[in-house]
Amino acid sequence: MTAASNYCVVITRPEVQAKQWAEVLAAEGFHSSALNLLAIVPVASEEKIRAIKNKILDFDLYQKAIFVSQNAVDFGMQWLEDYWPQLPMGIDFFAVGATTAKKLSDYGVLVTDLAVSGNGGMTSEDLLRAPGLQQVDGEKIIIFRGCGGRGHMAEELRQRGAWVDYCELYERQLPTTAEVQLQELVQQIGLADQQYLLSVHSGESLENLLQVLNNTASTVKPVLFTLPLLVPSQRIATQAEVAGFTRVICAENATDAAMTQALKSYLASH
């Protein structure tokens, strides 16, 4: 078994989440380095802000509310607290993953069900298996999320007869510093005695990594494509392999615990 201290994990999460995971990794003996590939910013256009306000004002018309991430909870609850000092009765709250559910509980919101399957999954597909989302014919459901995102959950719920609206609260952007940070990382890798591992927590982070790679010198790609890459799902693992990564480590989900356990299992086998 290789010691964790011999490895440096490159964390590509937004700053707050990156710091949280870095602390978990440090407790396990890993070193870490930051490469910020994703910035979360509130929507800014008048049109998008007006769309949010209209959904929030009509919040009492919905029977179910689904939050897809911690960011969706933070942005969504800020809006709801501004317009609904006391949340309307009769709305069931759902969360994609235990960390999102925990974030809702921090706001005093009880979650009806969350997306954690028997094998620890925390995807939209897992949540769609929740008992509370099986009989939704005629119900109004609102999904709090960022702009864009996957449409699978809404499509499936509509097929079950529900009326589904999105409340799109934030945008994901590629930080302007990413390219410089990547170049600095490659220099570190060339000089370091440690072995490096890359990590991405979402398909969008992987896409941003590939975009930055395409904008850098041709010598950079071979260096990074041969590093182990830790991903949170088989879907993203497939995307990474198609893109050219040769050593992909697949965790059960994107929680700090699952991603860290996948790293430990990888080290145990090398």
Side-chain angles (χ1 to χ4, degrees):
M1 177 176 175
T2 306
S5 59
N6 292 335
Y7 279 85
C8 181
V9 182
V10 180
I11 304 175
T12 60
R13 305 197 79 182
E15 186 175 352
V16 173
Q17 291 97 329
K19 183 179 179 181
Q20 292 171 351
W21 193 35
E23 292 173 355
V24 174
L25 290 172
E28 294 289 346
F30 289 96
H31 298 278
S32 63
S33 178
L35 171 60
N36 189 358
L37 292 177
L38 202 62
I40 306 296
V41 298
V43 298
S45 73
E46 290 185 15
E47 180 183 1
K48 290 179 178 178
I49 291 173
R50 186 165 56 249
I52 294 172
K53 184 176 179 180
N54 290 339
K55 298 289 193 322
I56 296 297
L57 289 173
D58 287 343
F59 188 60
D60 59 333
L61 302 180
Y62 295 93
Q63 285 76 54
K64 291 178 170 60
I66 297 173
F67 291 79
V68 304
S69 67
Q70 296 179 74
N71 291 314
V73 174
D74 280 333
F75 285 106
M77 291 307 300
Q78 288 170 19
W79 273 94
L80 287 169
E81 288 176 347
D82 283 345
Y83 289 90
W84 295 93
Q86 184 172 349
L87 290 175
M89 302 289 289
I91 300 175
D92 292 327
F93 288 80
F94 296 80
V96 176
T99 52
T100 304
K102 171 63 168 60
K103 180 68 73 170
L104 277 169
S105 72
D106 292 343
Y107 285 92
V109 176
L110 179 65
V111 174
T112 300
D113 214 329
L114 52 89
V116 178
S117 69
N119 67 355
M122 45 172 278
T123 65
S124 299
E125 289 80 1
D126 294 313
L127 184 56
L128 286 167
R129 288 191 284 271
L133 292 177
Q134 301 311 302
Q135 306 297 326
V136 295
D137 189 21
E139 292 191 337
K140 291 195 70 175
I141 300 175
I142 185 167
I143 298 176
F144 291 89
R145 69 171 193 173
C147 296
R150 298 176 66 206
H152 175 68
M153 187 185 301
E155 291 170 7
E156 178 60 34
L157 291 171
R158 285 167 181 150
Q159 287 181 6
R160 297 177 189 179
W163 295 85
V164 183
D165 289 323
Y166 287 121
C167 186
E168 297 188 318
L169 301 152
Y170 55 91
E171 296 176 328
R172 307 169 191 85
Q173 297 178 353
L174 176 61
T176 55
T177 57
E179 192 170 326
V180 172
Q181 282 189 319
L182 182 67
Q183 292 169 349
E184 292 174 349
L185 172 64
V186 172
Q187 291 175 352
Q188 291 173 16
I189 293 172
L191 298 173
D193 294 330
Q194 292 175 317
Q195 299 183 61
Y196 277 72
L197 295 115
L198 291 170
S199 66
V200 294
H201 279 70
S202 67
E204 187 154 23
S205 292
L206 176 60
E207 290 170 7
N208 284 355
L209 174 59
L210 295 171
Q211 180 179 332
V212 175
L213 281 172
N214 286 334
N215 293 335
T216 55
S218 59
T219 55
V220 171
K221 268 189 183 181
V223 174
L224 295 191
F225 276 3
T226 56
L227 295 180
L229 174 67
L230 175 64
V231 301
S233 72
Q234 188 55 55
R235 177 176 62 86
I236 298 172
T238 301
Q239 292 175 343
E241 289 164 353
V242 169
F245 286 94
T246 57
R247 290 190 285 169
V248 180
I249 309 164
C250 188
E252 287 189 340
N253 56 61
T255 60
D256 289 347
M259 296 285 276
T260 305
Q261 183 55 51
L263 280 177
K264 292 166 66 177
S265 297
Y266 174 79
L267 261 62
S269 63
H270 286 74

